[in-house]
Amino acid sequence: MNSAIKTLFQHQHGFIVSKIMFTASELGVFDLLKSEKLLTAGTIAERLGTSPTGMERLLDACVGFKFLRVERKEKEGLYGNTDLADLCLAKTSPKSQYNYMKLCSEFFYPNMHYLPDAVREGKNQSELIHGISSDHIFDAFSRSEEGLQNFIDGLGDSWSLYGKEVLSAFDLSNFPLVCDVGGAVGALAKECISLYPKSTVTIFDLPEVVERVKKHVVFSQEYQITFQEGDFFKDPVPEANLYLLARVLHDWGDEKCVQLLTKLYKACKPGGGVLISETILDEDRTGPLVAHLYSMTLMVFTEGKIRTASEFSGLLSAAGFKDIQVKKGSVCNAILGRK
Ligand SMILES: C[S@@+](CC[C@H](N)C(=O)[O-])C[C@H]1O[C@@H](n2cnc3c(N)ncnc32)[C@H](O)[C@@H]1O
């Protein structure tokens, strides 16, 4: 098969790869194998309450995609986690992506079905997905306790993978007061404090989010994290030396982004700045592929979009920020603008 045909085949079936990983995660395979190391398919099936044949086939597929490994002893296979599974795929993994996979599997996966509608109409499909017309994906999630919890927990997971990279792209040690605007579950705030222990971080988010985060997330004493409830379009934001704005602008159109950035510019202490963390589209708009994945997702669920570095610079300049610098990372990038 030539490489173009191989690419075609791979992408035609890409959604099945996601579903294999989500299914093993949902059934608890990675968690069981993280604690028990090597088990036969029969034992895994029994412990997780599934059929032995179904489980064996799922385990073999997971081995094929390198989520699991297998040691064959005579006729029996002993299955175990790969390093990737131990690190990221179990609930108790040190860099667990369990909640994000749950959000992808239960929400993004079925609703990407509406992509052709979004392209046809040029607007998000929240009316079809949630039964309400809304500019922001969040309005729909916040209507149910469980939906809200899944959303904020899911988003938090990725910062254990990319948080340090984003926060160390620039030296932020001279910004003692940090405000994480739309900081949700505080995952980036925690990474910020661990890298810059002299900083204090205020998480500014909608009241319903702050209420849940305070109730369900344990912030140990060593984290200098405080909370402020509010709507960043309507309410004042706290004064700070540095505003973190991670994966917030991609939810909004240009006008609203400039409105928010202008508010931050006015509240920012002299010499301070804003650190935007987003996936960035190349200037020729052909890649990276992860930017296209997010671009399509945002089209279905929000009024926002993925932007190029020069588009971010334009938004920051329109709000008054200067000395704009961009540092590219593996998935999430860092853009710093100064007051
Ligand atoms: C896509 S999430 C990003 C969360 C977090 N920064 C991260 O990267 O994991 C957007 C966040 O913005 C918050 N948000 C949305 N609209 C808001 C508003 N009007 N005022 C304050 N926060 C808002 C949401 O509650 C949510 O936590």
Side-chain angles (χ1 to χ4, degrees):
M1 221 194 290
N2 73 32
S3 84
I5 306 286
K6 260 191 200 159
T7 306
L8 168 74
F9 189 84
Q10 212 176 340
H11 294 330
Q12 275 175 328
H13 300 96
F15 69 100
I16 308 174
V17 183
S18 308
K19 206 63 195 172
I20 291 168
M21 186 169 74
F22 299 156
T23 301
S25 167
E26 182 183 322
L27 293 173
V29 172
F30 303 121
D31 283 290
L32 179 64
L33 292 175
K34 186 163 179 290
S35 57
E36 300 281 338
K37 305 302 174 203
L38 286 171
L39 297 175
T40 63
T43 309
I44 297 170
E46 200 184 309
R47 299 276 292 274
L48 299 178
T50 73
S51 70
T53 46
M55 181 52 76
E56 187 170 20
R57 284 166 66 172
L58 176 67
L59 296 171
D60 286 338
C62 286
V63 172
F65 287 100
K66 301 193 168 35
F67 307 135
L68 297 178
R69 64 197 166 86
V70 66
E71 287 177 19
R72 301 257 173 224
K73 295 241 166 84
E74 289 163 21
K75 277 200 170 161
E76 200 144 55
L78 287 173
Y79 295 86
N81 278 351
T82 54
D83 291 345
L84 172 75
D86 271 343
L87 184 70
C88 297
L89 302 183
K91 242 188 215 175
T92 54
S93 290
K95 292 181 186 290
S96 177
Q97 300 300 301
Y98 177 88
N99 292 311
Y100 186 63
M101 285 194 285
K102 184 167 155 58
L103 184 65
C104 285
S105 178
E106 292 176 7
F107 180 71
F108 291 117
Y109 184 93
N111 288 315
M112 281 309 286
H113 174 70
Y114 296 114
L115 181 58
D117 302 281
V119 174
R120 254 184 232 113
E121 294 167 25
K123 65 182 185 72
N124 74 48
Q125 296 299 300
S126 55
E127 204 147 355
L128 278 177
I129 296 166
H130 302 288
I132 58 161
S133 167
S134 164
D135 282 351
H136 196 264
I137 186 174
F138 193 75
D139 294 341
F141 275 109
S142 59
R143 296 196 314 167
S144 100
E145 286 255 315
E146 202 199 338
L148 181 57
Q149 195 68 45
N150 286 349
F151 186 62
I152 56 181
D153 287 346
L155 287 174
D157 277 356
S158 35
W159 293 119
S160 66
L161 296 179
Y162 320 119
K164 287 215 166 53
E165 183 183 35
V166 165
L167 293 166
S168 55
F170 300 99
D171 178 8
L172 307 177
S173 57
N174 290 326
F175 298 119
L177 282 183
V178 179
C179 176
D180 189 355
V181 180
V185 76
L188 186 62
K190 281 187 190 176
E191 296 290 337
C192 185
I193 302 270
S194 73
L195 264 180
Y196 302 104
K198 290 191 183 137
S199 300
T200 28
V201 183
T202 302
I203 293 170
F204 183 92
D205 213 305
L206 293 165
E208 56 271 40
V209 177
V210 170
E211 195 187 319
R212 289 205 71 77
V213 171
K214 276 180 163 169
K215 225 191 282 178
H216 294 280
V217 182
V218 181
F219 287 96
S220 71
Q221 292 281 323
E222 78 218 56
Y223 290 116
Q224 302 99 282
I225 292 176
T226 56
F227 293 90
Q228 186 166 324
E229 299 177 358
D231 179 326
F232 50 52
F233 291 122
K234 297 186 186 138
D235 302 314
V237 291
E239 248 197 335
N241 303 101
L242 181 73
Y243 294 95
L244 300 178
L245 208 48
R247 301 187 296 189
V248 169
L249 296 182
H250 70 204
D251 285 343
W252 306 101
D254 290 352
E255 210 175 298
K256 285 205 173 121
C257 289
V258 175
Q259 185 189 336
L260 174 56
L261 287 167
T262 304
K263 177 176 273 193
L264 301 185
Y265 183 81
K266 288 184 182 154
C268 186
K269 288 179 182 275
V274 60
L275 184 83
I276 296 172
S277 180
E278 292 279 359
T279 304
I280 296 179
L281 193 58
D282 292 341
E283 293 298 329
D284 69 3
R285 312 188 86 81
T286 56
L289 291 181
V290 64
H292 294 309
L293 298 181
Y294 289 134
S295 169
M296 295 298 101
T297 312
L298 291 168
M299 182 156 64
V300 174
F301 299 104
T302 75
E303 68 162 66
K305 58 183 178 182
I306 291 295
R307 295 178 169 90
T308 62
S310 56
E311 286 171 331
F312 278 114
S313 295
L315 297 175
L316 282 163
S317 306
F321 287 100
K322 298 183 180 59
D323 303 330
I324 298 156
Q325 298 172 69
V326 179
K327 290 254 173 88
K328 295 225 170 156
S330 49
V331 174
C332 256
N333 310 278
I335 306 159
L336 183 68
R338 301 294 295 257
K339 179 166 178 174

mmCIF file of all heavy atoms in Angstrom, residues 178-221:
data_model
loop_
_atom_site.group_PDB
_atom_site.id
_atom_site.type_symbol
_atom_site.label_atom_id
_atom_site.label_comp_id
_atom_site.label_asym_id
_atom_site.label_seq_id
_atom_site.Cartn_x
_atom_site.Cartn_y
_atom_site.Cartn_z
ATOM 1 N N VAL A 178 -0.548 36.906 40.586
ATOM 2 C CA VAL A 178 -1.009 36.306 39.326
ATOM 3 C C VAL A 178 -2.521 36.086 39.414
ATOM 4 O O VAL A 178 -3.025 35.667 40.461
ATOM 5 C CB VAL A 178 -0.295 34.955 39.084
ATOM 6 C CG1 VAL A 178 -0.765 34.299 37.796
ATOM 7 C CG2 VAL A 178 1.229 35.137 39.063
ATOM 8 N N CYS A 179 -3.221 36.375 38.332
ATOM 9 C CA CYS A 179 -4.657 36.071 38.293
ATOM 10 C C CYS A 179 -4.911 35.144 37.111
ATOM 11 O O CYS A 179 -4.602 35.491 35.969
ATOM 12 C CB CYS A 179 -5.457 37.360 38.140
ATOM 13 S SG CYS A 179 -7.223 37.050 37.976
ATOM 14 N N ASP A 180 -5.429 33.948 37.388
ATOM 15 C CA ASP A 180 -5.737 32.989 36.324
ATOM 16 C C ASP A 180 -7.192 33.219 35.910
ATOM 17 O O ASP A 180 -8.128 32.782 36.593
ATOM 18 C CB ASP A 180 -5.490 31.558 36.830
ATOM 19 C CG ASP A 180 -5.579 30.542 35.694
ATOM 20 O OD1 ASP A 180 -5.919 30.936 34.566
ATOM 21 O OD2 ASP A 180 -5.313 29.354 35.952
ATOM 22 N N VAL A 181 -7.358 33.912 34.808
ATOM 23 C CA VAL A 181 -8.699 34.335 34.359
ATOM 24 C C VAL A 181 -9.364 33.161 33.624
ATOM 25 O O VAL A 181 -8.823 32.674 32.631
ATOM 26 C CB VAL A 181 -8.565 35.565 33.428
ATOM 27 C CG1 VAL A 181 -9.936 36.026 32.959
ATOM 28 C CG2 VAL A 181 -7.816 36.685 34.134
ATOM 29 N N GLY A 182 -10.527 32.734 34.122
ATOM 30 C CA GLY A 182 -11.151 31.514 33.585
ATOM 31 C C GLY A 182 -10.300 30.319 33.981
ATOM 32 O O GLY A 182 -10.086 29.399 33.203
ATOM 33 N N GLY A 183 -9.821 30.337 35.216
ATOM 34 C CA GLY A 183 -8.834 29.335 35.683
ATOM 35 C C GLY A 183 -9.441 28.011 36.090
ATOM 36 O O GLY A 183 -8.725 27.068 36.430
ATOM 37 N N ALA A 184 -10.783 27.931 36.074
ATOM 38 C CA ALA A 184 -11.500 26.673 36.319
ATOM 39 C C ALA A 184 -10.997 25.940 37.564
ATOM 40 O O ALA A 184 -10.966 26.475 38.659
ATOM 41 C CB ALA A 184 -11.446 25.791 35.077
ATOM 42 N N VAL A 185 -10.536 24.712 37.362
ATOM 43 C CA VAL A 185 -10.268 23.803 38.479
ATOM 44 C C VAL A 185 -8.925 24.099 39.183
ATOM 45 O O VAL A 185 -8.605 23.523 40.213
ATOM 46 C CB VAL A 185 -10.363 22.347 37.947
ATOM 47 C CG1 VAL A 185 -9.139 21.986 37.146
ATOM 48 C CG2 VAL A 185 -10.665 21.358 39.024
ATOM 49 N N GLY A 186 -8.163 25.051 38.636
ATOM 50 C CA GLY A 186 -6.930 25.469 39.331
ATOM 51 C C GLY A 186 -5.722 24.635 38.995
ATOM 52 O O GLY A 186 -4.682 24.753 39.637
ATOM 53 N N ALA A 187 -5.820 23.797 37.948
ATOM 54 C CA ALA A 187 -4.693 22.918 37.615
ATOM 55 C C ALA A 187 -3.479 23.722 37.143
ATOM 56 O O ALA A 187 -2.345 23.415 37.508
ATOM 57 C CB ALA A 187 -5.120 21.923 36.532
ATOM 58 N N LEU A 188 -3.709 24.767 36.360
ATOM 59 C CA LEU A 188 -2.582 25.587 35.896
ATOM 60 C C LEU A 188 -2.053 26.446 37.049
ATOM 61 O O LEU A 188 -0.849 26.659 37.171
ATOM 62 C CB LEU A 188 -3.026 26.467 34.713
ATOM 63 C CG LEU A 188 -1.929 27.263 34.026
ATOM 64 C CD1 LEU A 188 -0.883 26.329 33.402
ATOM 65 C CD2 LEU A 188 -2.498 28.174 32.936
ATOM 66 N N ALA A 189 -2.969 26.901 37.898
ATOM 67 C CA ALA A 189 -2.559 27.698 39.069
ATOM 68 C C ALA A 189 -1.606 26.892 39.950
ATOM 69 O O ALA A 189 -0.586 27.404 40.420
ATOM 70 C CB ALA A 189 -3.797 28.122 39.860
ATOM 71 N N LYS A 190 -1.906 25.602 40.147
ATOM 72 C CA LYS A 190 -1.044 24.751 40.975
ATOM 73 C C LYS A 190 0.341 24.623 40.346
ATOM 74 O O LYS A 190 1.354 24.689 41.037
ATOM 75 C CB LYS A 190 -1.639 23.350 41.119
ATOM 76 C CG LYS A 190 -2.741 23.272 42.136
ATOM 77 C CD LYS A 190 -3.119 21.805 42.291
ATOM 78 C CE LYS A 190 -4.371 21.648 43.106
ATOM 79 N NZ LYS A 190 -4.808 20.265 43.186
ATOM 80 N N GLU A 191 0.381 24.427 39.030
ATOM 81 C CA GLU A 191 1.675 24.317 38.335
ATOM 82 C C GLU A 191 2.446 25.630 38.465
ATOM 83 O O GLU A 191 3.664 25.639 38.619
ATOM 84 C CB GLU A 191 1.468 24.008 36.834
ATOM 85 C CG GLU A 191 0.821 22.676 36.545
ATOM 86 C CD GLU A 191 1.729 21.483 36.847
ATOM 87 O OE1 GLU A 191 2.945 21.641 36.861
ATOM 88 O OE2 GLU A 191 1.172 20.395 37.092
ATOM 89 N N CYS A 192 1.718 26.738 38.423
ATOM 90 C CA CYS A 192 2.355 28.057 38.513
ATOM 91 C C CYS A 192 3.027 28.231 39.874
ATOM 92 O O CYS A 192 4.181 28.646 39.978
ATOM 93 C CB CYS A 192 1.286 29.133 38.279
ATOM 94 S SG CYS A 192 1.948 30.788 38.229
ATOM 95 N N ILE A 193 2.313 27.841 40.931
ATOM 96 C CA ILE A 193 2.876 27.992 42.281
ATOM 97 C C ILE A 193 4.071 27.052 42.464
ATOM 98 O O ILE A 193 5.049 27.404 43.113
ATOM 99 C CB ILE A 193 1.816 27.657 43.355
ATOM 100 C CG1 ILE A 193 0.605 28.561 43.194
ATOM 101 C CG2 ILE A 193 2.397 27.701 44.750
ATOM 102 C CD1 ILE A 193 0.603 29.829 43.930
ATOM 103 N N SER A 194 3.982 25.849 41.854
ATOM 104 C CA SER A 194 5.116 24.952 42.082
ATOM 105 C C SER A 194 6.366 25.437 41.332
ATOM 106 O O SER A 194 7.476 25.216 41.782
ATOM 107 C CB SER A 194 4.777 23.492 41.794
ATOM 108 O OG SER A 194 4.671 23.304 40.429
ATOM 109 N N LEU A 195 6.176 26.143 40.210
ATOM 110 C CA LEU A 195 7.346 26.692 39.494
ATOM 111 C C LEU A 195 7.817 28.017 40.086
ATOM 112 O O LEU A 195 8.997 28.329 40.085
ATOM 113 C CB LEU A 195 6.972 26.954 38.034
ATOM 114 C CG LEU A 195 7.283 25.929 36.996
ATOM 115 C CD1 LEU A 195 6.807 26.414 35.631
ATOM 116 C CD2 LEU A 195 8.780 25.664 36.907
ATOM 117 N N TYR A 196 6.845 28.816 40.555
ATOM 118 C CA TYR A 196 7.168 30.150 41.086
ATOM 119 C C TYR A 196 6.612 30.251 42.512
ATOM 120 O O TYR A 196 5.561 30.862 42.741
ATOM 121 C CB TYR A 196 6.553 31.239 40.188
ATOM 122 C CG TYR A 196 7.025 31.143 38.766
ATOM 123 C CD1 TYR A 196 6.210 30.620 37.757
ATOM 124 C CD2 TYR A 196 8.316 31.545 38.412
ATOM 125 C CE1 TYR A 196 6.657 30.511 36.443
ATOM 126 C CE2 TYR A 196 8.773 31.440 37.099
ATOM 127 C CZ TYR A 196 7.936 30.916 36.124
ATOM 128 O OH TYR A 196 8.378 30.803 34.830
ATOM 129 N N PRO A 197 7.285 29.623 43.475
ATOM 130 C CA PRO A 197 6.705 29.504 44.820
ATOM 131 C C PRO A 197 6.492 30.835 45.537
ATOM 132 O O PRO A 197 5.740 30.891 46.509
ATOM 133 C CB PRO A 197 7.715 28.638 45.578
ATOM 134 C CG PRO A 197 8.858 28.408 44.672
ATOM 135 C CD PRO A 197 8.552 28.932 43.319
ATOM 136 N N LYS A 198 7.087 31.910 45.017
ATOM 137 C CA LYS A 198 6.863 33.209 45.684
ATOM 138 C C LYS A 198 5.592 33.898 45.181
ATOM 139 O O LYS A 198 5.216 34.945 45.699
ATOM 140 C CB LYS A 198 8.070 34.122 45.458
ATOM 141 C CG LYS A 198 9.302 33.639 46.219
ATOM 142 C CD LYS A 198 10.408 34.657 46.223
ATOM 143 C CE LYS A 198 11.612 34.084 46.933
ATOM 144 N NZ LYS A 198 12.853 34.384 46.223
ATOM 145 N N SER A 199 4.958 33.334 44.175
ATOM 146 C CA SER A 199 3.745 33.978 43.633
ATOM 147 C C SER A 199 2.491 33.532 44.371
ATOM 148 O O SER A 199 2.452 32.432 44.929
ATOM 149 C CB SER A 199 3.566 33.594 42.166
ATOM 150 O OG SER A 199 4.675 34.001 41.428
ATOM 151 N N THR A 200 1.496 34.415 44.347
ATOM 152 C CA THR A 200 0.154 34.002 44.784
ATOM 153 C C THR A 200 -0.761 34.059 43.575
ATOM 154 O O THR A 200 -0.627 34.959 42.742
ATOM 155 C CB THR A 200 -0.452 34.962 45.837
ATOM 156 O OG1 THR A 200 0.076 36.243 45.644
ATOM 157 C CG2 THR A 200 -0.259 34.502 47.237
ATOM 158 N N VAL A 201 -1.667 33.117 43.492
ATOM 159 C CA VAL A 201 -2.559 33.077 42.321
ATOM 160 C C VAL A 201 -4.017 33.211 42.761
ATOM 161 O O VAL A 201 -4.453 32.516 43.684
ATOM 162 C CB VAL A 201 -2.402 31.746 41.527
ATOM 163 C CG1 VAL A 201 -3.267 31.762 40.284
ATOM 164 C CG2 VAL A 201 -0.953 31.505 41.135
ATOM 165 N N THR A 202 -4.735 34.117 42.097
ATOM 166 C CA THR A 202 -6.186 34.194 42.281
ATOM 167 C C THR A 202 -6.851 33.590 41.058
ATOM 168 O O THR A 202 -6.510 33.945 39.928
ATOM 169 C CB THR A 202 -6.645 35.670 42.405
ATOM 170 O OG1 THR A 202 -5.960 36.246 43.503
ATOM 171 C CG2 THR A 202 -8.149 35.774 42.615
ATOM 172 N N ILE A 203 -7.751 32.660 41.310
ATOM 173 C CA ILE A 203 -8.514 32.087 40.201
ATOM 174 C C ILE A 203 -9.794 32.895 40.053
ATOM 175 O O ILE A 203 -10.571 33.018 41.005
ATOM 176 C CB ILE A 203 -8.847 30.605 40.473
ATOM 177 C CG1 ILE A 203 -7.543 29.793 40.468
ATOM 178 C CG2 ILE A 203 -9.818 30.065 39.437
ATOM 179 C CD1 ILE A 203 -7.696 28.379 40.944
ATOM 180 N N PHE A 204 -9.976 33.461 38.870
ATOM 181 C CA PHE A 204 -11.193 34.244 38.604
ATOM 182 C C PHE A 204 -12.052 33.427 37.648
ATOM 183 O O PHE A 204 -11.626 33.092 36.542
ATOM 184 C CB PHE A 204 -10.811 35.585 37.960
ATOM 185 C CG PHE A 204 -11.987 36.485 37.711
ATOM 186 C CD1 PHE A 204 -12.380 37.422 38.652
ATOM 187 C CD2 PHE A 204 -12.719 36.381 36.533
ATOM 188 C CE1 PHE A 204 -13.483 38.250 38.420
ATOM 189 C CE2 PHE A 204 -13.827 37.192 36.297
ATOM 190 C CZ PHE A 204 -14.195 38.139 37.245
ATOM 191 N N ASP A 205 -13.249 33.087 38.095
ATOM 192 C CA ASP A 205 -14.123 32.298 37.212
ATOM 193 C C ASP A 205 -15.580 32.546 37.594
ATOM 194 O O ASP A 205 -15.877 33.233 38.595
ATOM 195 C CB ASP A 205 -13.779 30.788 37.296
ATOM 196 C CG ASP A 205 -14.014 30.069 35.961
ATOM 197 O OD1 ASP A 205 -15.139 30.156 35.438
ATOM 198 O OD2 ASP A 205 -13.085 29.430 35.450
ATOM 199 N N LEU A 206 -16.478 32.004 36.819
ATOM 200 C CA LEU A 206 -17.914 32.191 37.058
ATOM 201 C C LEU A 206 -18.297 31.631 38.432
ATOM 202 O O LEU A 206 -17.695 30.642 38.886
ATOM 203 C CB LEU A 206 -18.715 31.472 35.966
ATOM 204 C CG LEU A 206 -18.564 32.071 34.562
ATOM 205 C CD1 LEU A 206 -19.090 31.102 33.507
ATOM 206 C CD2 LEU A 206 -19.294 33.410 34.458
ATOM 207 N N PRO A 207 -19.300 32.236 39.090
ATOM 208 C CA PRO A 207 -19.648 31.799 40.448
ATOM 209 C C PRO A 207 -19.930 30.306 40.568
ATOM 210 O O PRO A 207 -19.469 29.651 41.501
ATOM 211 C CB PRO A 207 -20.904 32.617 40.774
ATOM 212 C CG PRO A 207 -20.831 33.805 39.874
ATOM 213 C CD PRO A 207 -20.063 33.401 38.652
ATOM 214 N N GLU A 208 -20.650 29.746 39.588
ATOM 215 C CA GLU A 208 -21.006 28.321 39.700
ATOM 216 C C GLU A 208 -19.771 27.433 39.612
ATOM 217 O O GLU A 208 -19.721 26.355 40.210
ATOM 218 C CB GLU A 208 -22.076 27.916 38.673
ATOM 219 C CG GLU A 208 -21.759 28.186 37.222
ATOM 220 C CD GLU A 208 -22.199 29.573 36.745
ATOM 221 O OE1 GLU A 208 -22.046 30.551 37.507
ATOM 222 O OE2 GLU A 208 -22.679 29.674 35.594
ATOM 223 N N VAL A 209 -18.759 27.886 38.884
ATOM 224 C CA VAL A 209 -17.520 27.099 38.762
ATOM 225 C C VAL A 209 -16.721 27.201 40.059
ATOM 226 O O VAL A 209 -16.289 26.189 40.632
ATOM 227 C CB VAL A 209 -16.662 27.600 37.573
ATOM 228 C CG1 VAL A 209 -15.347 26.843 37.500
ATOM 229 C CG2 VAL A 209 -17.425 27.439 36.276
ATOM 230 N N VAL A 210 -16.550 28.434 40.540
ATOM 231 C CA VAL A 210 -15.776 28.635 41.767
ATOM 232 C C VAL A 210 -16.406 27.848 42.917
ATOM 233 O O VAL A 210 -15.705 27.175 43.682
ATOM 234 C CB VAL A 210 -15.689 30.146 42.102
ATOM 235 C CG1 VAL A 210 -15.108 30.369 43.482
ATOM 236 C CG2 VAL A 210 -14.853 30.864 41.050
ATOM 237 N N GLU A 211 -17.725 27.892 42.987
ATOM 238 C CA GLU A 211 -18.430 27.182 44.063
ATOM 239 C C GLU A 211 -18.096 25.685 44.036
ATOM 240 O O GLU A 211 -17.764 25.071 45.039
ATOM 241 C CB GLU A 211 -19.930 27.393 43.851
ATOM 242 C CG GLU A 211 -20.792 27.041 45.020
ATOM 243 C CD GLU A 211 -22.257 27.120 44.626
ATOM 244 O OE1 GLU A 211 -22.633 28.074 43.906
ATOM 245 O OE2 GLU A 211 -22.993 26.211 45.003
ATOM 246 N N ARG A 212 -18.142 25.112 42.841
ATOM 247 C CA ARG A 212 -17.868 23.665 42.730
ATOM 248 C C ARG A 212 -16.406 23.335 43.000
ATOM 249 O O ARG A 212 -16.089 22.347 43.635
ATOM 250 C CB ARG A 212 -18.215 23.161 41.317
ATOM 251 C CG ARG A 212 -19.674 23.113 41.052
ATOM 252 C CD ARG A 212 -19.983 22.098 39.987
ATOM 253 N NE ARG A 212 -19.801 20.735 40.465
ATOM 254 C CZ ARG A 212 -20.639 20.090 41.246
ATOM 255 N NH1 ARG A 212 -21.728 20.691 41.688
ATOM 256 N NH2 ARG A 212 -20.419 18.851 41.613
ATOM 257 N N VAL A 213 -15.529 24.184 42.477
ATOM 258 C CA VAL A 213 -14.100 23.907 42.652
ATOM 259 C C VAL A 213 -13.757 23.955 44.138
ATOM 260 O O VAL A 213 -13.060 23.074 44.655
ATOM 261 C CB VAL A 213 -13.251 24.913 41.839
ATOM 262 C CG1 VAL A 213 -11.777 24.777 42.171
ATOM 263 C CG2 VAL A 213 -13.475 24.695 40.343
ATOM 264 N N LYS A 214 -14.294 24.960 44.824
ATOM 265 C CA LYS A 214 -14.002 25.090 46.260
ATOM 266 C C LYS A 214 -14.517 23.876 47.025
ATOM 267 O O LYS A 214 -13.900 23.402 47.966
ATOM 268 C CB LYS A 214 -14.670 26.343 46.817
ATOM 269 C CG LYS A 214 -13.851 27.607 46.618
ATOM 270 C CD LYS A 214 -14.642 28.711 47.225
ATOM 271 C CE LYS A 214 -13.957 29.952 47.530
ATOM 272 N NZ LYS A 214 -14.927 31.005 47.881
ATOM 273 N N LYS A 215 -15.666 23.356 46.591
ATOM 274 C CA LYS A 215 -16.280 22.234 47.297
ATOM 275 C C LYS A 215 -15.552 20.915 47.026
ATOM 276 O O LYS A 215 -15.411 20.071 47.889
ATOM 277 C CB LYS A 215 -17.739 22.092 46.816
ATOM 278 C CG LYS A 215 -18.721 21.881 47.973
ATOM 279 C CD LYS A 215 -20.078 21.486 47.483
ATOM 280 C CE LYS A 215 -20.905 22.635 46.935
ATOM 281 N NZ LYS A 215 -22.207 22.204 46.423
ATOM 282 N N HIS A 216 -15.070 20.739 45.793
ATOM 283 C CA HIS A 216 -14.602 19.403 45.390
ATOM 284 C C HIS A 216 -13.106 19.253 45.196
ATOM 285 O O HIS A 216 -12.616 18.152 45.063
ATOM 286 C CB HIS A 216 -15.311 18.960 44.104
ATOM 287 C CG HIS A 216 -16.766 18.742 44.308
ATOM 288 N ND1 HIS A 216 -17.254 17.597 44.870
ATOM 289 C CD2 HIS A 216 -17.820 19.537 44.076
ATOM 290 C CE1 HIS A 216 -18.574 17.699 44.952
ATOM 291 N NE2 HIS A 216 -18.938 18.871 44.473
ATOM 292 N N VAL A 217 -12.381 20.351 45.107
ATOM 293 C CA VAL A 217 -10.945 20.216 44.842
ATOM 294 C C VAL A 217 -10.187 20.558 46.109
ATOM 295 O O VAL A 217 -10.448 21.570 46.759
ATOM 296 C CB VAL A 217 -10.506 21.156 43.695
ATOM 297 C CG1 VAL A 217 -9.020 20.968 43.392
ATOM 298 C CG2 VAL A 217 -11.330 20.887 42.451
ATOM 299 N N VAL A 218 -9.259 19.665 46.442
ATOM 300 C CA VAL A 218 -8.500 19.907 47.671
ATOM 301 C C VAL A 218 -7.255 20.723 47.313
ATOM 302 O O VAL A 218 -6.422 20.304 46.523
ATOM 303 C CB VAL A 218 -8.064 18.568 48.310
ATOM 304 C CG1 VAL A 218 -7.289 18.802 49.591
ATOM 305 C CG2 VAL A 218 -9.276 17.696 48.541
ATOM 306 N N PHE A 219 -7.174 21.926 47.861
ATOM 307 C CA PHE A 219 -5.967 22.728 47.703
ATOM 308 C C PHE A 219 -5.232 22.687 49.032
ATOM 309 O O PHE A 219 -5.733 23.180 50.028
ATOM 310 C CB PHE A 219 -6.303 24.188 47.371
ATOM 311 C CG PHE A 219 -6.800 24.369 45.972
ATOM 312 C CD1 PHE A 219 -8.156 24.405 45.710
ATOM 313 C CD2 PHE A 219 -5.911 24.484 44.925
ATOM 314 C CE1 PHE A 219 -8.614 24.556 44.419
ATOM 315 C CE2 PHE A 219 -6.365 24.632 43.622
ATOM 316 C CZ PHE A 219 -7.716 24.667 43.378
ATOM 317 N N SER A 220 -4.060 22.061 49.042
ATOM 318 C CA SER A 220 -3.361 21.977 50.322
ATOM 319 C C SER A 220 -2.864 23.358 50.719
ATOM 320 O O SER A 220 -2.779 24.265 49.895
ATOM 321 C CB SER A 220 -2.217 20.983 50.225
ATOM 322 O OG SER A 220 -1.205 21.528 49.425
ATOM 323 N N GLN A 221 -2.536 23.503 52.003
ATOM 324 C CA GLN A 221 -2.119 24.794 52.571
ATOM 325 C C GLN A 221 -0.961 25.416 51.789
ATOM 326 O O GLN A 221 -0.849 26.616 51.686
ATOM 327 C CB GLN A 221 -1.646 24.566 54.015
ATOM 328 C CG GLN A 221 -2.751 24.161 54.964
ATOM 329 C CD GLN A 221 -3.575 25.359 55.386
ATOM 330 O OE1 GLN A 221 -3.035 26.435 55.566
ATOM 331 N NE2 GLN A 221 -4.874 25.163 55.531
#
